[in-house]
Amino acid sequence: MTDTLTPVLTDNWDAERAWTLASYEERGGYAALDKAFAMAPDDVIAAVKESGLRGRGGAGFPTGMKWGFIPQDNPKPKYLVVNADESEPGTCKDIPLMMASPHTLVEGVIVSSYAIRANTAFIYVRGEVLHVIRRLQRAVQEAYLAGHLGKNIHGSGYDLDLIVHAGAGAYICGEETALLEGLEGRRGQPRLRPPFPAVAGLYASPTVINNVESIASVPSIIVNGPAWFAGMGTEKSNGFGIFSLSGHVANPGQYEAPLGITLRELIDLAGGMREGHELKFWTPGGSSTPLLTPEHLDVPLDFEAVGAAGSMLGTRALQLFDETTCVVRAVLRWTEFYKHESCGKCTPCREGTWWLTQTLARLEKGQGSEADLDLLLDQCDNILGRSFCALGDGATSPISSSIQYFRDEYLAHLTHGGCPFDPAASTTFPSLSDTAAGATA
Amino acid sequence: MSLDQKTRDELREIAARYPEARSGLLPMLHLVQSVEGRVTPEGIEACAEVLGISAAEVNGVATFYTMYKRKPVGDYHVGVCTNTLCAVMGGDLIFERLKDHLEVGNDETTEDGTITLEHIECNAACDYAPVMMVNWEFMDNQTPESAVQVVDDLRAGNEVHSTRGPRLCTWREAERVLAGFPDDRADEGPAAGPASLAGLRIAREKGWTAPAGESKGESK
Ligand SMILES: Cc1cc2nc3c(=O)[nH]c(=O)nc-3n(C[C@H](O)[C@H](O)[C@H](O)COP(=O)(O)O)c2cc1C
Ligand code: SF4
Ligand code: FES
């Protein structure tokens, strides 16, 4: 029986100066390199396939399969790009990973680049995390000096350069083709697919784009073996993942567990919901994944079961809200986010998110009528599946799911002539904020 | 006024890091901000010249990304997360309090030029909500009172530390690091804050680990 929590990626985060090369190597870090270099690149790909690792950036695409799509007969250079843009609301796992143990990611980059035969790799990290960027820059510098990067790594004949690239503020640049535009020095607007990045990505060359956590998981698979990884988790969702609990729970934070753990188990570990309160709604994997309710507490958090429950595992960004939270306010705020972050390339999303905010804002103020709920669902229909990229689809998730589960709460805004909730009650400082609450009411 | 020679050389240095020079544009604009305090027409011209593209193209990029500013930014950029989770947990009240206290609106700078206040989107620190960023360093678990204390200390010139990072530098110094010129302060601050370690602490207490791998007797 596997333990309830299985720290692998988080295992060294409590080590003294965990971010340094010395600390990382003392615990066996960079051991995956020689093991991988002793294998043929295709065998590294095969091992990752066999492990069952699926992308940790949201969509869950099998990582080894993605690497296998790189046309090795294409004479152009191959590139690995790590998606470290982490901006999906609720998602907060890659940033602490890179802060505490940037070398885990760097080691993963080296093994992964070797597998796909890339000699240049990039970490595209969102710009708004200064200290994380410092730690990445330092880790890369240390890795070069130690001969883990650069020419003829460990005498293997394999060369790799790694560039840390800071973004400049744009949620859409987490979308992989928009990210490539950003990395080419352009406005971050998604590209038409096909061609897929595996064939024509960065500089129109074959490119693999993977999430931080996906790449950081690779060294452990190489060192411990694919069967070890596949032995954790559920049948089709193998391995472990970092589950990020935030919101009205006693001890929010990062919990690394096999896929398939339930929210009930996680809340138990986190000391329960905050004292005297109960769970009302939650996101399983960020704001773009449809809301769930307490009736879903026992859904195994893997790709299949969360999908069957009508949502998506996404990035395991579990944002928990208790009964003091107004769902309409929550959904309106997320919708304003999508409107703000819409890149403007396609009409359904650009215009649609604007209309959604208008309609929602009216409802939140207690204006409008019940017919506006159908209008909202109609507007969602016109966006979902008709947008150029998944940002537009994601924008509809909180709205349609909240109407499904909390229709009455929308109506209560109409009968109440505004929001029936006290915004101070949902804060972490409910007693302090009596006067401040007056200012916003 | 046009940019000095050192800055121009550094812009070229950034472009040279990449297989194709234009990839340097985002960090180059960060460098412009560190030197100029914002994205200036002169900075745009200089980037365009280095990359051999039009100023209009550079401008199109600069206007797309929210970290690039047209108006001068203060010594400290204070961002209050008002995305849903932080907003609900108190971010809205913190932002209101700071607006009142500093007598500025969103995206405005105090008269003394020290603080630029802005509400920001989710900064990947939701387990530390409500979150505030100063020059893109984490200020975790804020209250209206703690946030006011931070800005007062900054205005008074007192030393302020990130709750999960180093002593705060100025916004211009921060922008230089984002341009890819490290400031040698990676070793300040902890590896992880308490929330990042929440699960690991429990695993340690209970003796929980990942299973043993094929190459080792014990799990790691
Ligand atoms: C609007 C939008 C934002 C995204 N943001 C991120 C992100 O911040 N990090 C990430 O890894 N993937 C993000 N993705 C998913 C990426 O497009 C891509 O699927 C992922 O990086 C692939 O890596 P993986 O297979 O390792 O998960 C985003 C997708 C969309 C549509
Ligand atoms: S769906 Fe939105 S973000 Fe995606 S391309 Fe269209 S406008 Fe841009
Ligand atoms: S919602 Fe504020 S940091 Fe995520």
Side-chain angles (χ1 to χ4, degrees):
Chain A
M1 210 14 227
T2 308
D3 290 339
T4 310
L5 294 175
T6 49
V8 176
L9 301 177
T10 57
D11 193 40
N12 64 332
W13 292 9
D14 61 353
E16 187 75 22
R17 293 165 60 86
W19 65 90
T20 60
L21 182 68
S23 167
Y24 188 66
E25 287 190 334
E26 196 182 292
R27 301 170 61 100
Y30 287 100
L33 264 53
D34 289 334
K35 198 160 174 195
F37 294 157
M39 299 162 72
D42 279 337
D43 293 338
V44 177
I45 297 183
V48 172
K49 273 188 191 159
E50 199 188 320
S51 76
L53 173 65
R54 293 169 64 177
R56 299 301 193 228
F61 192 84
T63 304
M65 194 191 291
K66 185 186 275 190
W67 295 2
F69 290 154
I70 293 291
Q72 290 299 340
D73 52 358
N74 186 320
K76 290 189 172 174
K78 323 287 180 289
Y79 294 105
L80 177 74
V81 179
V82 176
N83 189 340
D85 194 56
E86 190 160 71
S87 310
E88 165 80 7
T91 309
C92 49
K93 60 187 180 69
D94 300 337
I95 292 301
L97 188 152
M98 294 184 288
M99 176 97 98
S101 188
H103 284 288
T104 312
L105 178 61
V106 173
E107 186 178 13
V109 166
I110 299 164
V111 175
S112 308
S113 300
Y114 171 76
I116 64 162
R117 279 140 277 187
N119 298 111
T120 310
F122 299 85
I123 299 174
Y124 187 110
V125 55
R126 66 181 298 182
E128 302 99 324
V129 288
L130 180 57
H131 207 48
V132 170
I133 291 166
R134 282 196 189 96
R135 293 252 165 103
L136 284 171
Q137 289 170 338
R138 171 66 63 83
V140 168
Q141 185 190 32
E142 282 186 311
Y144 269 106
L145 290 173
H148 301 319
L149 283 171
K151 295 260 176 267
N152 191 21
I153 301 171
H154 291 202
S156 63
Y158 174 64
D159 304 339
L160 179 66
D161 281 314
L162 173 55
I163 298 165
V164 176
H165 180 90
Y171 165 59
I172 188 59
C173 283
E175 195 282 333
E176 57 186 27
T177 62
L179 183 150
L180 293 176
E181 289 290 302
L183 188 49
E184 290 185 4
R186 299 171 204 282
R187 296 163 71 90
Q189 292 186 314
R191 296 177 179 172
L192 191 67
R193 281 174 295 197
F196 288 91
V199 176
L202 187 67
Y203 314 133
S205 297
T207 304
V208 163
I209 303 148
N210 272 126
N211 171 256
V212 168
E213 195 186 353
S214 312
I215 294 296
S217 300
V218 170
S220 72
I221 293 171
I222 295 305
V223 169
N224 297 305
W228 166 83
F229 188 87
M232 286 178 265
T234 58
E235 197 192 333
K236 290 182 180 154
S237 299
N238 294 355
F240 48 82
I242 303 175
F243 292 81
S244 309
L245 270 70
S246 62
H248 293 131
V249 62
N251 298 308
Q254 309 302 320
Y255 296 79
E256 191 174 7
L259 301 188
I261 193 170
T262 65
L263 183 61
R264 190 185 300 282
E265 291 174 278
L266 284 165
I267 292 178
D268 261 1
L269 291 168
M273 294 299 285
R274 63 175 180 163
E275 178 104 42
H277 295 279
E278 56 191 53
L279 179 65
K280 177 176 172 182
F281 62 94
W282 54 290
T283 66
S287 59
S288 304
T289 62
L291 298 177
L292 295 174
T293 67
E295 73 182 82
H296 305 105
L297 273 168
D298 296 310
V299 171
L301 296 173
D302 68 10
F303 292 106
E304 292 69 36
V306 181
S311 188
M312 287 174 281
L313 184 64
T315 51
R316 288 150 279 119
L318 302 152
Q319 306 177 87
L320 314 182
F321 299 91
D322 71 19
E323 82 292 344
T324 62
T325 313
C326 172
V327 76
V328 181
R329 174 181 173 214
V331 171
L332 171 59
R333 191 59 60 88
W334 278 318
T335 309
E336 287 168 343
F337 164 77
Y338 290 108
K339 184 189 98 182
H340 180 249
E341 299 297 330
S342 168
C343 82
K345 182 169 179 135
C346 70
T347 316
C349 168
R350 184 185 62 240
E351 305 286 322
T353 51
W354 188 84
W355 282 109
L356 290 173
T357 5
Q358 298 295 308
T359 314
L360 270 169
R362 208 161 58 217
L363 279 167
E364 206 247 352
K365 288 199 206 95
Q367 297 157 1
S369 72
E370 190 169 353
D372 284 336
L373 293 182
D374 297 323
L375 178 61
L376 275 175
L377 292 175
D378 247 17
Q379 289 168 336
C380 287
D381 265 354
N382 285 325
I383 299 172
L384 186 67
R386 291 166 207 251
S387 299
F388 193 80
C389 86
L391 185 146
D393 297 341
T396 68
S397 290
I399 297 177
S400 37
S401 58
S402 63
I403 295 179
Q404 178 186 350
Y405 296 119
F406 298 102
R407 197 178 183 96
D408 287 348
E409 197 163 311
Y410 279 92
L411 299 180
H413 282 70
L414 297 177
T415 48
H416 189 264
C419 182
F421 289 82
D422 169 11
S426 65
T427 68
T428 55
F429 41 85
S431 56
L432 291 178
S433 56
D434 298 343
T435 47
T440 47
Chain B
M1 223 191 66
S2 74
L3 278 75
D4 60 18
Q5 195 55 47
K6 172 177 176 256
T7 307
R8 289 172 181 279
D9 290 346
E10 285 179 342
L11 288 173
R12 286 184 202 285
E13 190 185 326
I14 295 171
R17 287 180 201 146
Y18 294 87
E20 294 191 9
R22 179 151 179 181
S23 283
L25 184 51
L26 265 49
M28 287 163 73
L29 287 166
H30 282 305
L31 186 72
V32 166
Q33 296 207 120
S34 86
V35 175
E36 302 267 278
R38 65 187 175 108
V39 175
T40 53
E42 294 76 16
I44 287 179
E45 282 294 340
C47 292
E49 195 189 305
V50 166
L51 298 178
I53 58 179
S54 72
E57 266 182 282
V58 175
N59 193 49
V61 173
T63 50
F64 186 84
Y65 296 92
T66 55
M67 289 179 81
Y68 299 134
K69 305 298 182 192
R70 288 317 165 107
K71 294 184 287 181
V73 173
D75 296 330
Y76 299 97
H77 176 271
V78 173
V80 179
C81 177
T82 58
N83 202 296
T84 299
L85 189 114
C86 280
V88 163
M89 304 287 286
D92 277 357
L93 298 180
I94 293 170
F95 186 59
E96 289 304 320
R97 179 70 77 84
L98 286 182
K99 276 198 292 194
D100 278 357
H101 184 75
L102 298 169
E103 298 180 332
V104 293
N106 183 41
D107 207 12
E108 289 177 7
T109 302
T110 54
E111 262 174 43
D112 63 0
T114 51
I115 311 265
T116 300
L117 182 69
E118 193 181 7
H119 68 78
I120 60 172
E121 299 301 351
C122 177
N123 220 88
C126 323
D127 47 345
Y128 296 94
V131 173
M132 182 165 95
M133 305 298 294
V134 179
N135 295 341
W136 308 115
E137 304 274 22
F138 292 109
M139 303 301 288
D140 299 323
N141 300 116
Q142 294 297 303
T143 64
E145 289 67 32
S146 68
V148 163
Q149 187 67 49
V150 167
V151 296
D152 283 353
D153 281 340
L154 290 171
R155 293 179 96 180
N158 299 336
E159 195 172 301
V160 179
H161 286 255
S162 157
T163 53
R164 235 188 317 156
R167 181 176 54 80
L168 298 180
C169 60
T170 65
W171 182 75
R172 289 185 181 212
E173 287 166 345
E175 283 291 325
R176 185 169 172 81
V177 177
L178 299 184
F181 297 99
D183 62 3
D184 214 30
R185 291 164 63 193
D187 285 339
E188 291 181 37
S196 309
L197 299 174
L200 188 59
R201 288 238 162 88
I202 297 173
R204 296 275 188 260
E205 262 166 50
K206 307 244 182 193
W208 288 340
T209 62
E214 68 181 22
S215 66
K216 289 198 195 137
E218 49 159 342
S219 60
K220 187 175 146 249

